Amino acid sequence: MTPRTRHSTFARFVALSTFGFVFFGLFTLTFAPRTSVRRDLRRFFQGTQTEFDVKRSILLNTKAENIRENSLKYTAEPHLAGTNKELAEWTRDQLQSFGWDAGIEEYEVYLNYPLDHALNLVDDNGKVIYEASLEEDVLKEDPTTGLRDRVPTFHGYSANGNVTAQFVYANYGEKGDYDLILEKTGDPDFFKGKIVITRYGGIFRGLKVKFAQDLGAKGVVIYSDPGDDSGITPENGYKTYPKGPARNPSSVQRGSVQFLSLGPGDPTTPGYPSKGAVERQDPSKYIPSIPSLPVSYRDILPILKELNGRGETFDGFEGGLEGVDYSIGPSKTSLNLYNSQDYKITPIYNVIASLTGSTYQNEAIVVGNHRDAWIAGGAADPNSGSAVLLELARVLGVLSKAGWTPTRTLTLASWDAEEYGLVGSTEWGEDHSKYISDNVLAYVNLDVAVSGSKFHSAGSPVLSALQRAVAKEIPHPSDNNTSLYDVWKKDSRAYIGNLGSGSDYTVFLDHLGVPSIDVGFSGGKGDPVYQYHSNYDSFHWMDNFVENAWEYHAAISKYVTLFAVSLSEREVVAFNVKEYALTLSKFLKAIQRKYVGASGHLSGLETESNEQKVLEKDNSGFDTSTAPWAESFDDVLKTAKEFVETAHKYDEYTSELQKDIIKDWPWYKYYKKLALLARIRVANRKLFHLEKLFLSSNGLQGREWFKHIVYAPGRYTGYAGEVFPGIVEALEDGDYENAIKWLSITKASLKSAKGLLK
Ligand SMILES: *[C@@H]1O[C@H](CO)[C@@H](O)[C@H](O)[C@H]1NC(C)=O
Ligand SMILES: *[C@@H]1O[C@H](CO)[C@@H](O)[C@H](O)[C@H]1NC(C)=O
Ligand SMILES: *[C@@H]1O[C@H](CO)[C@@H](O)[C@H](O)[C@H]1NC(C)=O
Ligand SMILES: [Zn+2]
């Protein structure tokens, strides 16, 4: 054969086979099945399980008995902040064994540990006439109460001191209580040089101490009054723990007295992480300089009796102690309060674990819960949360080992030192602020997951619709035929509260603008008294008085797992922006109603001193009927209304996108699929950024760490959420210029939000 013919044979072969390939290709493509973007994505990332499979597996595999086992482990030994590194390591090892990528992140923070204390009644001659035990009873029924290395009763961040002084009673120690006493006694020095006794309740305990300190008090004693136990008292025939559900008379609430509403975290490193040789600052802005002690009602009884008939008493000041008339004093006898604390810079241990997402890695969902406790037990706080977090990790780990990869990255955090002032989460948030701002879509918080039978929830309104949807999928532990949502709706119309502070979501929402939720079951009507932060928050108490079956734990575990997975698996981020816009609008209208009458007159001011300021301004020629803040307010409301309309349309748009995801397309419309994927990317990024438009870089006045202009702890409450604190505080103070400033900041945020979603 000549080379030529050989060549032409070869050419014919090439031509034929090319034709064959093209024909085969065309044939296949023509009859190729139409597929949806959702299916393409799953194939591309080699997922085999559908969202339905995953959810079913979560509901079926979450086991109450595993959670009970976890709780047994966590409640068996003391794990005060910065101690028991072994428990952090155990947690890390568990997470690793479930298939998570887990490690420990340490910070060096300022903490105190108790050395010694005393509280004595002293007569005129300096003779001690009564010595408070400052101890909780050891109960033979409850082994946790008798541990040799159990944690003494004390306050986190309380000052050292040994003070002797006359004492007074100031009810709950709220701002309003102190103001009332000053006003009614007409004595601005009423608290000066005294030891102040307050009962627990109402506001964060650190602020009770702060207000006393600001008024010149020398020390503070805070006790638990049975009058605040919702009628579950011996007086009403209930036996006390361990014989019954009422509070044990020796029960003491430990806790932090940090000035939480000024800023959480390590008080020596406000706004930056406590790592290495970092610069430390004077912590006195954030923690008390006067000593304080927590005590039981049994210990306080003889002390309060000393006040009977001395000084006035006011409506709402009476508690439930027999033989006490709750007079404010001052006493004739004195109290000696001695508090000795070992302050040091010491390591704390956050355990962080991740399952890396397949598709949207820069939209991580973080689920966190603290691990440290004031007591060895802490079956409710925080170990109901810790036990649930591990079960969540196990259930998702089983899925992961079966080949499932979450669409978005899932991260778990077991925080340390929450109890002292959200220290572990705050330092982590400050350390990774850039990562979190760019990559964390939402934060889910567990703390006290179960302390009773009533479901409660709080969170950013963008997540409310998803919260309700998920609650509909969870059977209620009391009755498998009804959903968690049904009971929630019956109890409280499925109310979702505002996040203030008091747990680890604070750095995420208030500082970094990450939409967050906080959920759990707490005490409802008739539930046993929750002996919060006392030795009686033990495994024995949980197992015998709160829940035998551990089904409430299982329900919250399913809820949180399903919530995180629903958020991670839905292609279009499951945020509802109209609910956000409507909620802000409602808040603003409520503030306007409270402070600005229709004519622009300020109304609803609560204290005389504010009234006084209003009058002073008026006298200086300020005309309230044409007050500029009233006009600014109308303006803000108008913008808020426009935001609601835009948000409404945006929700319609994103639900269209989500529908298109499951639409089947022929292959040659691949460009439509690509366009859809691109539109989803953009929509998700916008949803990601929305809440961050409500951060103000300068922060709130006098507490700059708090950046969110909508959500912050109340400056006078600490726990409870205050909405639009900038506007509200300015109006409370009668500071009109400031009110106008905050109204204009608010308007700018609403406008950017509207612009983002346009
Ligand atoms: C505290 O002060 C009291 C009264 O002044 C005194 O009796 C007591 O010894 C002091 N305690 C300590 C540990 O210094
Ligand atoms: C609900 O169903 C679960 C699992 O099927 C079962 O273990 C539990 O006892 C049931 N609870 C009630 C109150 O029926
Ligand atoms: C739940 O529903 C089933 C079927 O409707 C019924 O047989 C059962 O008694 C119900 N259980 C409860 C606790 O209401
Ligand atoms: Zn807690």
Side-chain angles (χ1 to χ4, degrees):
M1 279 194 286
T2 62
R4 197 175 184 286
T5 37
R6 221 186 302 140
H7 182 77
S8 70
T9 313
F10 181 69
R12 207 174 308 131
F13 171 75
V14 169
L16 264 176
S17 42
T18 307
F19 175 77
F21 271 119
V22 169
F23 179 80
F24 178 77
L26 281 176
F27 182 88
T28 314
L29 284 173
T30 309
F31 294 97
R34 296 151 66 90
T35 66
S36 65
V37 171
R38 169 176 287 176
R39 229 172 300 138
D40 293 347
L41 281 176
R42 195 171 304 129
R43 233 173 253 159
F44 184 74
F45 292 109
Q46 281 133 31
T48 48
Q49 315 221 36
T50 63
E51 189 178 338
F52 179 80
D53 299 333
V54 172
K55 288 186 172 180
R56 217 174 85 95
S57 163
I58 292 167
L59 291 176
L60 289 178
N61 283 333
T62 301
K63 294 279 188 266
E65 57 266 32
N66 291 338
I67 301 177
R68 186 176 184 277
E69 282 303 305
N70 296 342
S71 175
L72 262 175
K73 166 73 184 173
Y74 276 120
T75 55
E77 48 200 72
H79 40 297
L80 194 56
T83 71
N84 203 339
K85 187 177 185 186
E86 294 73 25
L87 199 59
E89 289 165 345
W90 179 81
T91 303
R92 176 200 59 199
D93 296 347
Q94 288 286 301
L95 293 170
Q96 281 174 353
S97 75
F98 298 147
W100 293 70
D101 181 10
I104 293 181
E105 291 193 40
E106 295 190 14
Y107 296 95
E108 302 263 323
V109 306
Y110 187 62
L111 296 179
N112 63 309
Y113 295 104
L115 294 174
D116 197 7
H117 55 198
L119 186 68
N120 297 327
L121 257 179
V122 185
D123 72 8
D124 293 346
N125 305 321
K127 204 176 129 228
V128 173
I129 51 176
Y130 165 74
E131 219 171 301
S133 77
L134 305 178
E135 282 263 9
E136 296 181 287
D137 291 348
V138 173
L139 312 172
K140 64 177 187 313
E141 294 87 341
D142 184 343
T144 320
T145 61
L147 288 180
R148 278 187 54 198
D149 52 355
R150 61 186 182 272
V151 183
T153 58
F154 77 111
H155 277 151
Y157 289 130
S158 65
N160 283 314
N162 187 10
V163 293
T164 303
Q166 282 179 295
F167 54 99
V168 297
Y169 170 68
N171 199 24
Y172 291 109
E174 296 188 1
K175 182 93 170 50
D177 294 324
Y178 289 106
D179 286 348
L180 179 75
I181 293 170
L182 290 181
E183 185 200 319
K184 296 286 185 185
T185 58
D187 177 5
D189 290 335
F190 185 80
F191 296 99
K192 200 167 220 152
K194 310 283 193 332
I195 290 174
V196 177
I197 299 171
T198 81
R199 52 173 157 162
Y200 273 115
I203 61 169
F204 185 71
R205 67 185 85 64
L207 298 182
K208 299 170 193 259
V209 179
K210 181 176 193 299
F211 301 144
Q213 178 180 314
D214 291 347
L215 292 169
K218 274 171 119 173
V220 177
V221 178
I222 314 180
Y223 78 100
S224 308
D225 195 296
D228 297 308
D229 289 342
S230 309
I232 310 292
T233 56
E235 209 183 356
N236 292 337
Y238 293 96
K239 292 206 160 80
T240 60
Y241 183 76
K243 304 275 186 248
R247 182 183 299 277
N248 184 291
S250 73
S251 170
V252 178
Q253 182 191 131
R254 295 156 189 77
S256 172
V257 288
Q258 190 187 41
F259 302 156
L260 191 61
S261 57
L262 291 183
D266 182 340
T268 68
T269 63
Y272 54 95
S274 297
K275 270 173 83 172
V278 74
E279 187 197 336
R280 303 269 169 184
Q281 304 187 13
D282 172 10
S284 60
K285 181 184 168 193
Y286 298 99
I287 61 176
S289 53
I290 59 172
S292 65
L293 283 175
V295 303
S296 66
Y297 75 73
R298 190 173 66 196
D299 268 356
I300 205 71
L301 191 59
I303 299 172
L304 281 181
K305 279 183 176 169
E306 290 287 306
L307 294 178
N308 282 348
R310 299 191 59 86
E312 292 176 81
T313 182
F314 303 112
D315 271 358
F317 276 41
E318 324 80 75
L321 284 174
E322 228 169 289
V324 173
D325 72 9
Y326 293 93
S327 299
I328 58 170
S331 62
K332 183 158 177 292
T333 45
S334 294
L335 261 184
N336 168 233
L337 187 170
Y338 167 56
N339 186 40
S340 174
Q341 300 291 325
D342 179 18
Y343 270 93
K344 54 173 140 184
I345 307 272
T346 191
I348 58 167
Y349 315 101
N350 292 331
V351 182
I352 309 288
S354 282
L355 277 184
T356 303
S358 63
T359 318
Y360 301 117
Q361 287 166 7
N362 61 347
E363 289 165 6
I365 295 133
V366 181
V367 183
N369 144 259
H370 72 92
R371 194 184 58 257
D372 64 305
W374 285 121
I375 54 252
D381 186 5
N383 295 315
S384 55
S386 300
V388 162
L389 192 77
L390 274 194
E391 180 63 358
L392 173 156
R394 190 193 63 80
V395 167
L396 294 181
V398 168
L399 278 162
S400 164
K401 283 178 181 170
W404 173 72
T405 309
T407 302
R408 295 187 170 80
T409 296
L410 297 175
T411 297
L412 305 180
S414 167
W415 308 116
D416 200 356
E418 184 269 358
E419 292 293 3
Y420 279 76
L422 325 177
V423 179
S425 57
T426 300
E427 297 311 310
W428 192 81
E430 290 170 352
D431 192 14
H432 301 285
S433 59
K434 171 113 183 55
Y435 167 81
I436 295 168
S437 300
D438 295 343
N439 297 284
V440 175
L441 178 67
Y443 175 71
V444 178
N445 193 60
L446 280 170
D447 186 333
V448 182
V450 180
S451 66
S453 62
K454 190 176 171 192
F455 182 70
H456 68 84
S457 162
S460 168
V462 290
L463 292 166
S464 297
L466 185 63
Q467 286 216 58
R468 289 190 291 267
V470 171
K472 286 177 185 166
E473 298 187 52
I474 312 288
H476 193 274
S478 69
D479 174 1
N480 284 346
N481 287 350
T482 167
S483 73
L484 178 60
Y485 179 77
D486 293 333
V487 178
W488 182 20
K489 193 167 161 217
K490 212 171 90 212
D491 280 354
S492 69
R493 292 204 237 141
Y495 175 72
I496 296 176
N498 311 318
L499 288 175
S501 187
S503 195
D504 294 308
Y505 51 79
T506 307
V507 70
F508 290 93
L509 181 65
D510 297 354
H511 190 61
L512 297 168
V514 175
S516 302
I517 67 164
D518 181 67
V519 293
F521 286 102
S522 47
K525 209 167 155 25
D527 280 343
V529 173
Y530 172 33
Q531 306 181 59
Y532 173 61
H533 290 179
S534 100
N535 271 344
Y536 310 121
D537 175 9
S538 62
F539 185 85
H540 181 268
W541 174 76
M542 182 65 81
D543 205 33
N544 289 279
F545 286 90
V546 184
E547 67 158 339
N548 251 244
W550 291 73
E551 288 295 341
Y552 285 84
H553 282 79
I556 207 77
S557 188
K558 289 173 194 168
Y559 181 86
V560 169
T561 315
L562 218 54
F563 183 88
V565 165
S566 303
L567 206 46
S568 88
E569 297 314 286
R570 198 171 180 271
E571 292 84 352
V572 180
V573 168
F575 284 3
N576 185 302
V577 291
K578 184 184 178 189
E579 188 142 2
Y580 196 81
L582 269 178
T583 307
L584 300 200
S585 197
K586 260 187 240 155
F587 289 159
L588 287 165
K589 279 185 197 149
I591 297 167
Q592 190 195 40
R593 257 200 315 279
K594 184 166 179 198
Y595 291 102
V596 189
S599 65
H601 281 286
L602 272 183
S603 61
L605 292 169
E606 282 157 337
T607 65
E608 247 180 19
S609 61
N610 284 340
E611 217 99 59
Q612 198 54 42
K613 277 189 204 152
V614 174
L615 287 174
E616 277 162 21
K617 287 245 175 181
D618 286 350
N619 290 342
S620 65
F622 203 89
D623 180 4
T624 50
S625 64
T626 57
W629 72 84
E631 212 173 290
S632 301
F633 223 121
D634 288 338
D635 215 20
V636 169
L637 281 174
K638 198 170 136 256
T639 314
K641 193 159 169 246
E642 292 162 6
F643 177 36
V644 172
E645 283 155 17
T646 314
H648 175 66
K649 287 195 195 117
Y650 202 74
D651 283 339
E652 286 180 343
Y653 169 67
T654 52
S655 51
E656 278 306 311
L657 288 182
Q658 186 62 30
K659 276 185 205 140
D660 286 350
I661 280 273
I662 50 173
K663 221 186 246 170
D664 287 330
W665 311 79
W667 68 271
Y668 53 84
K669 295 231 169 128
Y670 67 90
Y671 55 90
K672 290 215 170 187
K673 290 185 175 181
L674 289 180
L676 178 60
L677 281 172
R679 276 205 299 277
I680 290 174
R681 259 287 155 174
V682 173
N684 284 350
R685 256 4 239 177
K686 288 188 174 185
L687 293 169
F688 184 97
H689 280 294
L690 181 73
E691 183 111 41
K692 294 175 178 57
L693 298 177
F694 293 86
L695 297 178
S696 146
S697 55
N698 293 329
L700 300 180
Q701 212 136 21
R703 42 184 184 143
E704 292 71 20
W705 186 90
F706 289 98
K707 306 287 186 201
H708 208 302
I709 68 166
V710 186
Y711 294 105
R715 62 178 161 171
Y716 300 143
T717 62
Y719 288 128
E722 176 165 278
V723 292
F724 288 109
I727 301 174
V728 168
E729 287 168 11
L731 288 173
E732 262 175 15
D733 297 345
D735 184 342
Y736 308 146
E737 270 161 47
N738 208 17
I740 290 167
K741 182 187 117 187
W742 279 102
L743 283 166
S744 91
I745 291 174
T746 303
K747 187 180 165 186
S749 284
L750 289 167
K751 263 182 104 166
S752 338
K754 191 183 87 180
L756 178 78
L757 302 183
K758 220 93 245 148

